[in-house]
Structures are given as structure tokens and as C-alpha cells.
Amino acid sequence: MDEVKVGIVGLGNVGMGTLTILAENQEQIALKLGFRLRVTAVCSRSVESKKLPAALGPVFQTTDWRELVKHPDVQIVAELVGGTVVAAEILDAAIEHRKSVVTANKELMAASGPEIWDRAIRAGINLAMEASVCGGIPIHAVLREGISGDRVMALYGILNGTCNYILTEMEKRNVPLEVVLKEAQRLGYAEADPSADVDGYDARSKLVLLAALAFGEKITPSDIFMEGIRRITEVDFRYARQLKHSIRLICGARRIPEGIILSVRPALIPASTILAGVQGAYNAVWVKGEYGEDTFYYGWGAGALPTGVAVVSDLMRVAREIRSGSPERVSPFAHERLGGNKPVPVTLQKRCYFLRFRVDDRPGIIAKLAGILASKKIGLEAVLQEPCDTKHDLPFVITTEETSEQSIREAVEEMSGLDFLNEAPLALPMETAL
Ligand code: HSE
């Protein structure tokens, strides 16, 4: 049986998970392919300290990725180092040496994936990136091929496992975000610097990639409205529950007549929806097609083995193409050419809103807030207030009738100057139509 030869750059969690699968599952993989996928080279800054699975057999080991990329016994390079600087150099070098690339790198692909794909096409090689979004969910394959005959109208994702773990623990245990974040850091679910996750950057890079696949647009990450989860409190979950809703960090993408509207933000979602059932560090993507209507994808968003499966499956796909010499590659962005339309401003979005206030209590507060809402033509739906021991930091909630994000922003801006507020109002959209 002939073989296709693979070099792996980066032996962190995902790299080691990938090697484990390639070693332990090699018979299954060979049965599916009809030939062997063999790891011929690995590269890591600490390669000497890595224990490679014995079943891989002899493997060239180096600390210099350049040696691996140009090694004559490497046909596919798996770039699993992350970051954007060295990773970009590795991809450039692989393309220059006409070697196909499998990558798990969402930041790099979100920032410059389409340009890298153009170069890959010109070099006659392939570029695969299933592991870059929702490690354990084959969402690229679904959008690229599985439902490519449909016209995606909307996509809603829970794309950051760390945030989902934090939010669902807060909800279950009625504890503050800082407590759960510290636990998550201790358990290794959250980084020491949690900003990429809790402030929304990680989810935003993933949404850039899914929006390209779903809608064929090349989106600049900073053009997506992004709000993290730091302001969510356990009190918000209690009020959301009274409204039969839950709170999740939702990556939303929708076609509206004016274009595509994109956002990464905490939102209220009905407790009865399938997305609200997504607990812990799981990810999920809900796609609404014009013809096929609703499909839902669920699984681990990260982790050595789930993400390793995505890398190995990409390696298998690329290896098949190498063996068959197929010139008909499907773009990793699901479209031959991406458009350059900017997303529509989120201020056009119309929703009901959940407004949470923390106030130093005194008479006339509701009247004042209601007056500001009325001046923006925003109708009140409900006022909710739990019994509270203190008058000095009293939380309560107003929900509104459907209005535009623009009107809500103007109202929140005006309210923020009021002296009885302990902090600016928190405004969350209610995704009641999910
Ligand atoms: N930190 C990410 C998450 C996993 O929590 O989902 C890698 O993208």
C-alpha cells in the first residue's frame, strides 16, 4: 500500500491530539483512504521533551519549521502553532514549496485566509481549515459542501466554549462571573489572560470565517459588532428566567434586505430553544436555509482529540486529492470569490430589549427612565424587580417592545448621565424569534 506523507508543526494540545489519532486510528484511516497517511516529520520548539506515540514509527524531529516544510518526505504540512506571525511564515513557505496545508488557525484565516487561498490556488496546492472553528463540529464541511445547494438566510452560533461554560455555570449556581472565571482558569478551561474569550475576540474570528462560508463575504473582524460577557451578572440570569429566557454569547449572522448583519454579543434567548440547551464548554451552530430550513450542529468546540479529529479529517481529504491529482478543489471559503460588502450596521437591527439597571433607590426612577424611553418612541413591555435588602444597589429590569438598536443606544446614552444609576444600563437584545 502506497502512502501520503505528513509533517506536523506545533506539538501543543492539538498537535499531540492529532498525532495520537494518526497513530492509534491508522488502520481505520488506511481502510477509508485505501492508502496510508504517514507522519514523516514533526516540529516543535520543545521537540526533545515530547513523547511521540510509538506506533508512528521513525519520525524526523526538528525545532526548525523550515526544515520540516522543505523536507522531501513531507507532502502536507499541518500548521498547528497558532498566532499570526510565525504561522503566516509557515504557510507562505509551504505554498512556496508547493505543499498543501492543513491549519487550525482561526486568527490567521480570519485576517488573511482569502489571500492565502489565492496563493495556494496559483501554486496548485490545497488549504484546509476545518479545525479553525468549533474544533469538534464539522461546520466547514457542512457549509462548504453538505448544504452548499441552499441559500443561508441566518446562522446563530455558540462559538466560544469558555464563555458558554462561564455563563451556564453562573446560571446553574447563581454565582458571579469572577468566581466561575477563576474556577475555569484553575481547571484549564480559561486562559490566565481571558480577554480573547470573555471579550469576544475568539468568537468574532470564528464568525468571520463562518460568514465567509455562509454568505460569501470577506469580512474585516473589526467591522463586526462585538460585546463580551464581562457585564453579565447572576442577577441577569434570575430576571431572564422570570421571562422564560436564558443568556448566551450569541454569534449572529442574518441576511436582511440591506445586506448581512453580524454581531457577537450576549443575548437573551428563549429557554425553550435548542441553543439554550447548550451547556458547559460545548459549541453549537444553527443554520437557517431558504430551502432546507433549519439544521443544527453540536459538539465540542475545542480539546485535543475533538480538534485532532478535524485536523486528521482534513489531512485525509487533502491526501485523497494528492493521490487522485484532483484539480477541482472546493474553496475552503465555499465560494470561488468572496465579495467585499461590509456588514450592515447593527444599529438597524430591530429587537425587543432587556434593560437592567442598578440604582440608588428613590422615588421617581421608573418615571424618569420611562420618560426617556417614551421620548425615543420605545414602548415598555414589563418592569421586573426582585425583593432586595439594599436600597443602595437595587437591580431591576425593564423590557421593551420591539425597537431599533439605534433608539436603544440613544436611550442608554441619555440614561447613563442620571445620578441615581450606579452603572450604565445593560442592554441585551431578546432573540425571541429563534
Ligand atoms: N478558547 C476557545 C473556546 C477554544 O473557549 O471556545 C479555541 O478556539
Side-chain angles (χ1 to χ4, degrees):
M1 200 190 281
D2 210 348
E3 56 193 19
V4 169
K5 296 163 188 146
V6 175
I8 311 268
V9 188
L11 296 181
N13 253 348
V14 176
M16 291 307 286
T18 300
L19 284 183
T20 302
I21 297 165
L22 286 169
E24 287 181 10
N25 203 28
Q26 55 180 295
E27 296 308 326
Q28 265 290 310
I29 292 170
L31 268 177
K32 286 174 178 163
L33 289 175
F35 57 88
R36 280 196 182 277
L37 206 51
R38 193 157 78 78
V39 180
T40 46
V42 294
C43 168
S44 159
R45 274 180 307 200
S46 52
V47 76
E48 309 81 29
S49 66
K50 300 288 177 186
K51 193 167 158 25
L52 303 186
L56 291 176
V59 176
F60 171 73
Q61 300 181 31
T62 176
T63 53
D64 180 0
W65 60 262
R66 290 174 190 82
E67 280 192 345
L68 180 143
V69 169
K70 64 180 188 219
H71 198 290
D73 261 351
V74 170
Q75 292 169 279
I76 311 173
V77 176
E79 178 280 302
L80 306 176
V81 296
T84 50
V85 180
V86 177
E89 290 172 15
I90 295 169
L91 264 61
D92 284 351
I95 293 171
E96 201 180 305
H97 286 85
R98 294 180 185 271
K99 300 199 173 167
S100 286
V101 178
V102 169
T103 178
N105 196 318
K106 64 187 158 272
E107 291 95 350
L108 181 60
M109 288 299 109
S112 38
E115 293 78 19
I116 296 173
W117 170 239
D118 277 348
R119 294 206 299 279
I121 275 287
R122 285 201 297 275
I125 54 108
N126 206 345
L127 173 67
M129 55 171 187
E130 184 64 66
S132 60
V133 179
C134 302
I137 307 176
I139 188 66
H140 285 248
V142 162
L143 294 171
R144 196 184 57 233
E145 288 164 77
I147 60 167
S148 65
D150 208 339
R151 179 167 190 260
V152 176
M153 301 306 290
L155 178 153
Y156 295 96
I158 291 178
L159 305 184
N160 185 270
T162 305
C163 287
N164 209 57
Y165 173 82
I166 292 172
L167 293 175
T168 52
E169 286 296 305
M170 287 171 72
E171 181 170 41
K172 264 194 303 212
R173 291 157 48 199
N174 193 28
V175 286
L177 184 139
E178 309 80 65
V179 170
V180 184
L181 175 58
K182 283 213 176 76
E183 286 171 12
Q185 285 168 323
R186 252 199 328 273
L187 294 167
Y189 295 162
E191 305 285 336
D193 175 0
S195 177
D197 292 317
V198 299
D199 294 323
Y201 296 97
D202 171 85
R204 185 176 70 174
S205 296
K206 293 167 177 168
L207 185 59
V208 166
L209 294 175
L210 294 189
L213 279 139
F215 302 105
E217 298 292 350
K218 175 173 165 33
I219 306 291
T220 303
S222 56
D223 284 342
I224 297 184
F225 174 77
M226 177 181 81
E227 188 179 305
I229 63 167
R230 287 193 203 254
R231 291 198 64 203
I232 306 298
T233 66
E234 66 278 27
V235 173
D236 300 318
F237 282 105
R238 294 206 300 272
Y239 283 116
R241 186 173 302 135
Q242 288 185 37
L243 296 162
K244 297 193 170 47
H245 279 64
S246 185
I247 303 171
R248 296 285 185 275
L249 184 70
I250 298 291
C251 297
R254 279 181 306 124
R255 265 185 218 279
I256 60 170
E258 296 84 352
I260 310 294
I261 199 156
L262 297 169
S263 60
V264 174
R265 67 193 313 189
L268 266 76
I269 58 174
S272 57
T273 55
I274 195 161
L275 274 180
V278 177
Q279 299 282 315
Y282 278 97
N283 282 190
V285 187
W286 183 354
V287 185
K288 288 169 180 275
E290 183 169 354
Y291 303 100
E293 301 187 7
D294 299 75
T295 55
F296 187 80
Y297 310 93
Y298 171 83
W300 289 117
L305 294 175
T307 312
V309 169
V311 174
V312 172
S313 304
D314 267 355
L315 287 169
M316 291 169 69
R317 188 160 58 86
V318 174
R320 276 193 191 100
E321 291 178 0
I322 289 175
R323 286 281 303 222
S324 65
S326 160
E328 293 298 322
R329 295 189 183 89
V330 182
S331 159
F333 293 95
H335 294 76
E336 271 307 297
R337 283 274 157 262
L338 292 180
N341 294 307
K342 280 188 177 295
V344 172
V346 77
T347 44
L348 288 183
Q349 167 169 286
K350 287 211 155 95
R351 288 284 181 273
C352 297
Y353 282 82
F354 168 101
L355 299 172
R356 190 259 293 143
F357 304 91
R358 303 193 86 108
V359 300
D360 214 358
D361 199 17
R362 73 180 70 152
I365 287 181
I366 298 277
K368 182 80 195 161
L369 297 173
I372 293 176
L373 290 171
S375 74
K376 308 290 173 199
K377 303 195 169 32
I378 301 172
L380 255 79
E381 182 79 38
V383 178
L384 308 174
Q385 188 177 325
E386 285 184 336
C388 184
D389 312 336
T390 170
K391 293 275 180 204
H392 297 297
D393 189 23
L394 178 72
F396 69 89
V397 163
I398 295 178
T399 61
T400 75
E401 290 173 351
E402 189 169 277
T403 183
S404 71
E405 173 95 14
Q406 178 64 31
S407 303
I408 280 292
R409 285 193 190 179
E410 287 171 14
V412 164
E413 168 90 25
E414 202 169 320
M415 289 168 176
S416 298
L418 298 170
D419 63 355
F420 53 76
L421 284 182
N422 292 344
E423 62 177 43
L426 172 76
L428 303 178
M430 299 179 71
E431 296 291 348
T432 39
L434 277 185

